Amino acid sequence: MILWCCIKKLLIAIGGLIVLGLAYWLISPLFITERVDEKINDIMALPSGSPTATEAPMAPEIVSQGEFAGLAGHSGRGTAKLLFANGKHYIRLEDDFRVTNGPDLFVYFGKNGSYVSEARIAALKGNEGGQNYEVPSDIDPSQFSEVWIWCRAFSIPFAKTELR
């Protein structure tokens, strides 16, 4: 009987630690700001295998752009651009980008007012500042008209922009 009582207390303590850890993971991002300071020049770097380092890198071509708006009670603002440089597409979140922080945030493409789960670009690097994301080669950006900041943990949107 005494052994069962000790095991029961131990299981309750372990369960409490798991609940506290999960609560911290879910709630703490709301109070933490993660600033990123990537520059557009990072995209303009010469591709590996370039004939000479003295060649001037080509400025990225702006394919489309838009302004973020917050969704589902979250704030979101700033400029997103779809760029083409060195034979690749990139999503560029400009220095004015800001979104409410949260757990498990990702950058996705979307269309027709919905994010597309198969069009995941990458995990969001930070909730503020300039950021560059290379579009995976298996995703065709011409098939999408929106960029979403999506919380996978709760399956809710944080922000969205229409690219024009």
Side-chain angles (χ1 to χ4, degrees), residues 8-142:
K8 187 176 171 183
K9 287 180 182 180
L10 180 63
L11 290 175
I12 289 172
I14 291 171
L17 287 174
I18 290 171
V19 167
L20 285 173
L22 185 60
Y24 176 78
W25 179 74
L26 292 172
I27 296 170
S28 68
L30 296 174
F31 306 105
I32 298 171
T33 296
E34 294 181 39
R35 178 136 185 90
V36 180
D37 193 25
E38 294 180 343
K39 302 297 181 198
I40 199 165
N41 292 347
D42 299 339
I43 293 173
M44 295 185 335
L46 285 172
S48 58
S50 287
T52 67
T54 59
E55 290 180 18
M58 301 265 311
E61 171 193 346
I62 299 173
V63 177
S64 55
Q65 65 183 13
E67 294 294 319
F68 276 103
L71 297 169
H74 301 100
S75 67
R77 63 183 173 92
T79 306
K81 293 180 179 176
L82 175 61
L83 304 172
F84 185 76
N86 300 322
K88 298 177 185 177
H89 283 95
Y90 296 86
I91 295 294
R92 165 83 182 149
L93 307 181
E94 292 294 344
D95 294 338
D96 63 349
F97 173 74
R98 307 263 184 293
V99 70
T100 304
N101 205 356
D104 211 22
L105 295 182
F106 279 77
V107 180
Y108 282 86
F109 276 126
K111 60 183 173 182
N112 303 323
S114 296
Y115 94 105
V116 177
S117 61
E118 298 82 26
R120 181 173 73 198
I121 307 301
L124 188 69
K125 297 174 184 177
N127 65 307
E128 291 186 358
Q131 302 168 49
N132 302 318
Y133 297 92
E134 184 178 329
V135 175
S137 61
D138 62 335
I139 297 176
D140 178 4
S142 69

Side-chain angles (χ1 to χ4, degrees), residues 138-159:
D138 62 335
I139 297 176
D140 178 4
S142 69
Q143 300 300 308
F144 305 99
S145 59
E146 302 162 347
V147 174
W148 289 69
I149 307 300
W150 187 264
C151 175
R152 290 190 324 172
F154 290 106
S155 198
I156 58 171
F158 271 50

